[in-house]
Amino acid sequence: MSNSFKHIRRIFLITAMLGLTACAVPTEQENSPERAPQAESDTLRLAQATAKSGDHANAARLFEKVLSTDADSVAALKGAGDAYSRMGQQSRAETVLVRAHELDPNNDEVLALLGRVFLAQDRSKEAVKYYDKALRANRSNISAITGKGVALDTMSQHLKAQKVYQEGLSTYPTNFVLRSNYALSVALSGNFNKAISILQELVRDPNAAPHVRDNLALVYGLAGQETEARATLSLDMSAEEIEENITVYRALRRMMQESQPIGSLVFA
């Protein structure tokens, strides 16, 4: 994607947070062989807590520490893969997650993470395959539901994507990301009024994040409503950034009018 798209912010992947327990305080006895499993467990919990805090680099090092003594720890492999992926190290993430999948073929969280890694590498067809596997293992896996919808939208298979979002919303009716992505997908199918209506409702929520307003501005732009798009963007962007986005919206609108697929640009 061109750098001109850098100001269009998008969120489309949710990672289920791991359940965490309090980390025990280490003691000198943990250095003894009989305490090794407990020490490993404590390190794993610390790694998971570190990942949850957003410190993915240190989380990765802690997961690696667990793997140095237990190379077949699915939890550590999964955690390391997630951390690597969030740091942009997709190839490294793929390697450890494939190993986790070999050890635990029906682990839906591992499968959903693999889908996310393939999606990040612009391998949407492979991503869909793993998201489908995750959903066969657990039809309620929100990461897989959202990811599959996005993967289909990147391939401009918007009607299929919308079906996935709608099925997800039947389970998670208040989910912001599903609703926002559904609206974008509907817009890319040409139904701007419906998309705008959905997003206008979302931005009125006091907890709405800037990306929801960005999505609304994008749909205004695709619909040719540039005044509304500028007004929406003005809440979060400088005048220069706003005009950059308007230029992008015009280009995308022109591509839509020429029947060119733009799913991979919008859901990038």
Side-chain angles (χ1 to χ4, degrees):
M1 182 184 298
S2 165
N3 287 336
S4 63
F5 289 83
K6 64 184 178 180
H7 294 299
I8 299 182
R9 292 167 293 190
R10 202 67 71 235
I11 99 170
F12 49 76
L13 299 173
I14 298 179
T15 301
M17 300 308 296
L18 300 172
L20 302 173
T21 59
C23 181
V25 178
T27 67
E28 292 181 2
Q29 291 178 324
E30 288 179 347
N31 293 324
S32 63
E34 64 270 22
R35 294 302 301 276
Q38 180 62 45
E40 178 182 302
S41 177
D42 290 342
T43 303
L44 179 59
R45 287 196 293 268
L46 178 59
Q48 291 169 336
T50 302
K52 186 174 182 179
S53 75
D55 186 353
H56 302 298
N58 280 319
R61 284 192 283 271
L62 289 165
F63 286 124
E64 290 162 2
K65 184 176 180 180
V66 175
L67 292 169
S68 68
T69 56
D70 183 5
D72 291 341
S73 170
V74 172
L77 288 165
K78 180 179 68 174
D82 183 36
Y84 294 150
S85 177
R86 291 179 184 278
M87 291 190 292
Q89 300 177 18
Q90 305 303 338
S91 178
R92 197 178 184 189
E94 180 182 346
T95 299
V96 295
L97 290 170
V98 165
R99 176 56 180 158
H101 177 47
E102 291 171 350
L103 293 166
D104 191 358
N106 294 315
N107 188 312
D108 61 293
E109 292 182 356
V110 170
L111 289 164
L113 284 172
L114 273 167
R116 190 181 80 194
V117 166
F118 287 126
L119 187 57
Q121 298 179 82
D122 298 321
R123 296 158 65 182
S124 297
K125 289 184 179 180
E126 290 173 88
V128 169
K129 180 178 73 173
Y130 280 95
Y131 286 133
D132 278 338
K133 287 183 178 180
L135 291 170
R136 283 196 291 271
N138 176 10
R139 62 182 296 181
S140 298
N141 186 306
I142 186 64
S143 299
I145 294 169
T146 311
K148 181 180 178 181
V150 170
L152 290 168
D153 269 321
T154 62
M155 294 186 287
S156 292
Q157 297 181 19
H158 304 305
L159 295 181
K160 289 182 178 180
Q162 288 160 37
K163 183 178 179 180
V164 172
Y165 297 136
Q166 288 172 323
E167 290 174 351
L169 286 166
S170 68
T171 303
Y172 303 102
T174 63
N175 187 279
F176 255 70
V177 176
L178 285 176
R179 285 195 174 277
S180 182
N181 283 359
Y182 174 63
L184 285 179
S185 187
V186 166
L188 294 180
S189 296
N191 193 340
F192 300 123
N193 289 337
K194 181 176 181 179
I196 289 170
S197 177
I198 294 170
L199 289 167
Q200 284 177 333
E201 182 178 283
L202 290 181
V203 298
R204 285 196 291 269
D205 190 294
N207 296 317
H211 80 272
V212 181
R213 291 192 290 273
D214 293 345
N215 288 351
L216 176 58
L218 170 60
V219 176
Y220 278 138
L222 294 178
Q225 300 179 31
E226 293 186 359
T227 299
E228 291 83 351
R230 285 189 175 90
T232 304
L233 292 173
S234 67
L235 298 172
D236 304 296
M237 294 185 180
S238 68
E240 181 180 358
E241 289 173 330
I242 289 171
E243 292 312 311
E244 287 180 5
N245 271 33
I246 294 298
T247 299
V248 170
Y249 300 162
R250 288 173 181 168
L252 292 173
R253 178 171 170 77
R254 183 166 57 251
M255 292 173 70
M256 282 191 70
Q257 292 171 337
E258 295 171 353
S259 299
Q260 296 184 45
I262 63 172
S264 62
L265 300 177
V266 172
F267 286 86

